[in-house]
Amino acid sequence: MKNQEILALFEQIANVLELKGENSFRINSYRKAARIIGDLTEDIEEIAREGKLTDIPGIGNGTAEKIVEYINTGKMSKYEEVMKGVSKETITLMQIPGLGPKTVAMLNKELGIVGLNDLENALQEGKLKGLFGIGDKKIENIIKGIGLFKTSQQRISIGMAYPIVKRIMEGLRYNPQIKNIQTAGSLRRMKETIGDIDILASGTEVTDIIKSFVNMRGVTQILAAGDTKSSVRVEEGVQVDLRVVREDEFGAALQYFTGSKEHNIRLREIAKRKGLKISEYGIFKGEKKIGGRLEEEIYKILGMEWIPPELRENRGEIEVAEEGKLPKLIEFSDIKGDLHDHSNWSDGIPTFEEMAEHAMKMGYKYLAVSDHSKSLHVANGLKDEELLEEIEEIDRLNKKLKGFTLLKATEVDIKTDGSLDFPDNLLEKLDLVVASIHSGFKQGREKITERMIAAIRNPYVNIIAHPTGRLISRREGYEVDLDKVMEVCVETGTALEINCFYDRLDLNDINCRKAKDVGVMIAISTDAHHVDQMWMIELGVGVARRGWLEAKDVINTFTVDKLKAFCMKKRKFGYKI
Ligand code: DGT
Ligand code: CA
Ligand code: CA
Ligand code: ZN
């Protein structure tokens, strides 16, 4: 169905004509045509085939000819003619929310602005103010529009993509025409940032499926709507691609569109060596299709185990799968509790009761209350006596809870000199101690490494939280020698955290794999400040899986007794000077 493509062409023609200052009658006729096509419920190709385009009220001979030309040749000469002499940069400018063709034309005439760079410079130099029709409010809107446009061009964190996908899948899941639906691309591989969201569906009524996709709640722009593929932009700025394939090709397409590209290239080489061919349509021996309905078939026919999507980065997974020795990756259902959470005693929102209740709902057996320590004033860190009160309060509540334990914990600050923010005789009273760096980021690699190692050597410290301090797309993190840190972690029985908060995901996948290789235990924790953030554990499990981790590598898969024993063991034996 080409309705959306044709609509977009007419809209673009109208915009460029307006930019060029053509008379408004012609411009309006293209806008009108675009609107009429947008309202059609039938496939425009079908109508054209029957020669009935001019039967549509508002579509004249000239418009009909252009539609037919596009359907037959894939080109529209009027469009190409109109676009002549207009730079891509200028077209981009018109895509910025708040900037229409008229404003862009005026900016070009008055200030010689051609593209985004020029516009940003002019804004910075305050040149826009005072131009015709441009007041403070308009300038504010343009700045906001540029921001929105830029985020729409960037990669987003997987934690931002996740809720969007959830909403989309929920919207489409109940469409009876869809047989099968799955996410693909970097999202299915749980990569920490996502360029665009890929969704794959199968079903027979392709046109209807695509129509319900482009009409979904949250769609702000239709980028393309073809016969089997459609791309839209949603209100959060990210692009979403939907491909609809045949039922018997679903597995092959899922394999292909999950990627990564590097993984797929390697698989195709292996197929070739075996005299086979794989594509998004199936796996073939000569002309004969020998599989493709299920993704598993592709891997099986190629002589290897099915490879979980998170491993598909061509980092050795194919060779290991050929030997049949892939790890049994950790799953959410292996997780028995969350070991880093904040309550309303420091800078969190929930009460202990609310935390426990939500944790039980998630199927957990325990949850650590790890509020901040006194030096972290911005986070309302607990004073010594407040920690003591917190401990008493948790003890009281635990007596009431059945089959569930709130663990007495803290996120104690590692101060700039490497000492901890609470004395040992306080830490001793806790079940579990999480320690982390929140200050002195610029101290340099050697000093920071020393600080962290000093904390790891404390017999009460069990977990180092967000070990590198990075914030995705916002902050690099401090410099730290993780090899050295890991060495001391192994020696002392101290775990490193995968902080699941969507903008941290720290440790990352590569460092997790390194940790596993040298024998460091991992904790997967959310750092939730609100119960509605506890779902992010799924993001951390994704990172762990990308780091090849199994349940046995992760301390919060342990039973509460085993976990407590893990912590006590360090106090008794693990501390070496
Ligand atoms: P992204 O969107 O940048 O986060 O990364 P992906 O991996 O989702 O990439 P995307 O959306 O461009 O394409 C989805 C998948 O489709 C990709 O992982 C593998 C497959 N694919 C796309 N283009 C090619 C290609 O040219 N060759 C191969 N082998 N696979 C491709
Ligand atoms: Ca993608
Ligand atoms: Ca894509
Ligand atoms: Zn925290």
Side-chain angles (χ1 to χ4, degrees):
M1 173 144 141
K2 297 206 162 75
N3 299 32
Q4 297 297 339
E5 286 169 51
I6 294 170
L7 172 162
L9 284 175
F10 283 134
E11 254 173 10
Q12 183 95 285
I13 291 176
N15 282 343
V16 175
L17 287 177
E18 193 171 356
L19 180 82
K20 287 180 168 174
E22 296 266 345
N23 80 55
S24 57
F25 176 74
R26 285 183 59 208
I27 298 167
N28 286 340
S29 76
Y30 284 109
R31 288 250 156 80
K32 192 168 138 209
R35 202 172 45 243
I36 292 168
I37 295 165
D39 289 341
L40 286 181
T41 46
E42 305 99 275
D43 186 347
I44 199 160
E45 274 184 276
E46 195 91 357
I47 304 173
R49 209 173 305 134
E50 291 166 3
K52 289 187 175 162
L53 282 172
T54 48
D55 290 358
I56 305 170
I59 301 283
N61 281 329
T63 310
E65 269 168 33
K66 293 182 186 79
I67 296 171
V68 171
E69 182 197 357
Y70 183 73
I71 289 171
N72 291 340
T73 67
K75 282 201 168 116
M76 194 184 285
S77 30
K78 182 71 197 174
Y79 174 78
E80 319 234 311
E81 179 199 317
V82 168
M83 292 296 285
K84 266 193 205 121
V86 183
S87 74
K88 271 210 179 103
E89 273 192 286
T90 304
I91 298 288
T92 307
L93 270 188
M94 290 194 291
Q95 291 169 4
I96 294 172
L99 275 189
K102 274 213 182 72
T103 314
V104 172
M106 194 265 289
L107 292 174
N108 178 269
K109 186 160 160 260
E110 299 294 329
L111 300 173
I113 291 173
V114 178
L116 185 53
N117 255 342
D118 301 340
L119 176 62
E120 285 190 299
N121 287 338
L123 278 167
Q124 207 148 40
E125 292 163 18
K127 285 186 178 162
L128 262 66
K129 206 177 153 97
L131 289 180
F132 180 73
I134 298 200
D136 287 340
K137 186 88 201 144
K138 177 82 179 173
I139 290 178
E140 202 180 295
N141 273 338
I142 293 175
I143 293 172
K144 227 187 260 166
I146 293 174
L148 275 174
F149 178 77
K150 281 195 171 164
T151 43
S152 75
Q153 308 295 94
Q154 282 167 3
R155 303 181 67 79
I156 62 169
S157 143
I158 185 163
M160 287 168 76
Y162 231 65
I164 300 172
V165 171
K166 221 170 203 166
R167 176 183 79 212
I168 295 174
M169 295 299 251
E170 241 135 58
L172 294 176
R173 192 160 287 144
Y174 301 105
N175 183 329
Q177 288 151 344
I178 296 176
K179 282 254 161 27
N180 239 321
I181 185 155
Q182 264 264 30
T183 54
S186 49
L187 191 101
R188 185 167 180 238
R189 303 200 310 280
M190 296 297 285
K191 218 174 139 171
E192 64 190 30
T193 64
I194 306 291
D196 68 3
I197 296 171
D198 300 281
I199 300 175
L200 189 71
S202 69
T204 45
E205 307 299 321
V206 182
T207 315
D208 288 351
I209 294 173
I210 288 187
K211 202 184 282 171
S212 70
F213 175 70
V214 301
N215 288 323
M216 254 170 356
R217 181 166 63 88
V219 171
T220 53
Q221 196 185 359
I222 298 164
L223 303 165
D227 293 336
T228 57
K229 186 194 148 168
S230 168
S231 298
V232 298
R233 200 175 292 292
V234 293
E235 58 199 6
E236 292 86 349
V238 68
Q239 179 179 329
V240 187
D241 290 350
L242 172 76
R243 292 181 183 79
V244 188
V245 301
R246 282 178 15 197
E247 193 61 19
D248 63 340
E249 292 169 349
F250 189 79
L254 185 61
Q255 197 291 313
Y256 181 87
F257 291 113
T258 296
S260 67
K261 202 166 157 185
E262 293 71 23
H263 173 91
N264 286 355
I265 289 171
R266 186 90 182 79
L267 270 197
R268 274 206 299 272
E269 285 167 7
I270 290 172
K272 206 167 162 193
R273 258 204 334 257
K274 294 182 187 274
L276 303 169
K277 202 181 136 256
I278 49 175
S279 74
E280 57 192 285
Y281 304 108
I283 178 160
F284 300 86
K285 186 166 205 155
E287 293 294 296
K288 193 170 174 318
K289 183 166 163 182
I290 54 174
R293 177 175 290 271
L294 300 174
E295 190 179 58
E296 285 80 356
E297 293 169 357
I298 312 284
Y299 289 98
K300 190 161 181 220
I301 294 170
L302 290 178
M304 59 185 84
E305 284 179 276
W306 176 80
I307 302 177
E310 295 90 339
L311 298 185
R312 300 183 196 172
E313 299 290 346
N314 194 27
R315 291 179 185 157
E317 74 280 5
I318 293 176
E319 292 71 16
V320 180
E322 282 178 319
E323 291 171 29
K325 287 187 178 154
L326 285 177
K328 186 183 176 325
L329 298 181
I330 181 168
E331 292 173 15
F332 168 67
S333 57
D334 295 319
I335 302 284
K336 294 202 173 62
D338 192 333
L339 300 181
H340 182 168
D341 304 88
H342 298 273
S343 78
N344 61 352
W345 284 56
S346 65
D347 60 343
I349 302 292
T351 62
F352 299 158
E353 284 88 349
E354 286 164 342
M355 291 165 90
E357 195 182 323
H358 196 84
M360 283 189 267
K361 236 188 257 165
M362 289 181 71
Y364 290 167
K365 297 288 179 209
Y366 49 82
L367 184 85
V369 180
S370 56
D371 282 317
H372 290 289
S373 58
K374 58 185 181 247
S375 287
L376 210 59
H377 302 293
V378 287
N380 193 25
L382 269 55
K383 300 198 182 69
D384 293 12
E385 57 279 13
E386 288 172 321
L387 182 61
L388 284 171
E389 280 173 46
E390 190 172 71
I391 289 169
E392 277 179 34
E393 187 64 33
I394 293 174
D395 276 337
R396 248 198 304 278
L397 187 58
N398 269 335
K399 290 210 179 79
K400 289 195 262 171
L401 295 170
K402 296 251 170 340
F404 184 87
T405 312
L406 275 180
L407 295 169
K408 291 166 282 183
T410 176
E411 178 179 10
V412 66
D413 236 54
I414 302 172
K415 294 197 285 189
T416 46
D417 64 356
S419 66
L420 297 177
D421 204 13
F422 285 134
D424 283 4
N425 64 0
L426 247 183
L427 299 179
E428 192 189 1
K429 300 184 190 308
L430 299 167
D431 297 311
L432 181 109
V433 174
V434 179
S436 62
I437 288 183
H438 290 111
S439 58
F441 277 33
K442 295 214 164 69
Q443 279 179 329
R445 187 178 170 92
E446 206 167 321
K447 185 84 190 110
I448 298 232
T449 307
E450 253 174 47
R451 253 169 102 187
M452 199 175 272
I453 287 177
I456 295 169
R457 289 207 182 277
N458 180 296
Y460 300 102
V461 170
N462 307 112
I463 300 168
I464 299 294
H466 40 75
T468 77
R470 68 102 175 239
L471 293 177
I472 293 175
S473 321
R474 280 202 287 143
R475 185 174 79 194
E476 284 272 355
Y478 38 75
E479 282 192 60
V480 57
D481 185 343
L482 275 183
D483 289 332
K484 264 202 186 138
V485 164
M486 286 186 191
E487 210 174 282
V488 188
C489 281
V490 174
E491 187 190 320
T492 56
T494 311
L496 291 176
E497 179 184 84
I498 299 175
N499 189 293
C500 308
F501 214 83
Y502 76 97
D503 61 356
R504 287 195 184 270
L505 301 179
D506 174 15
L507 294 177
N508 68 11
D509 50 0
I510 306 261
N511 284 329
C512 281
R513 197 164 169 194
K514 195 189 265 178
K516 181 186 168 117
D517 284 345
V518 298
V520 178
M521 296 301 291
I522 295 289
I524 305 179
S525 308
T526 60
D527 203 351
H529 288 65
H530 195 293
V531 294
D532 289 345
Q533 293 168 341
M534 283 165 62
W535 67 270
M536 290 192 220
I537 198 89
E538 292 178 50
L539 305 177
V541 172
V543 173
R545 289 170 64 86
R546 287 177 62 83
W548 294 56
L549 299 193
E550 301 178 87
K552 65 176 168 53
D553 304 316
V554 175
I555 61 172
N556 46 322
T557 64
F558 295 171
T559 61
V560 71
D561 290 339
K562 190 169 170 194
L563 178 68
K564 282 183 174 171
F566 170 84
C567 298
M568 286 308 139
K569 193 170 158 205
K570 178 173 179 186
R571 290 187 194 183
K572 274 195 181 155
F573 311 109
Y575 182 39
K576 295 181 199 165
I577 295 172

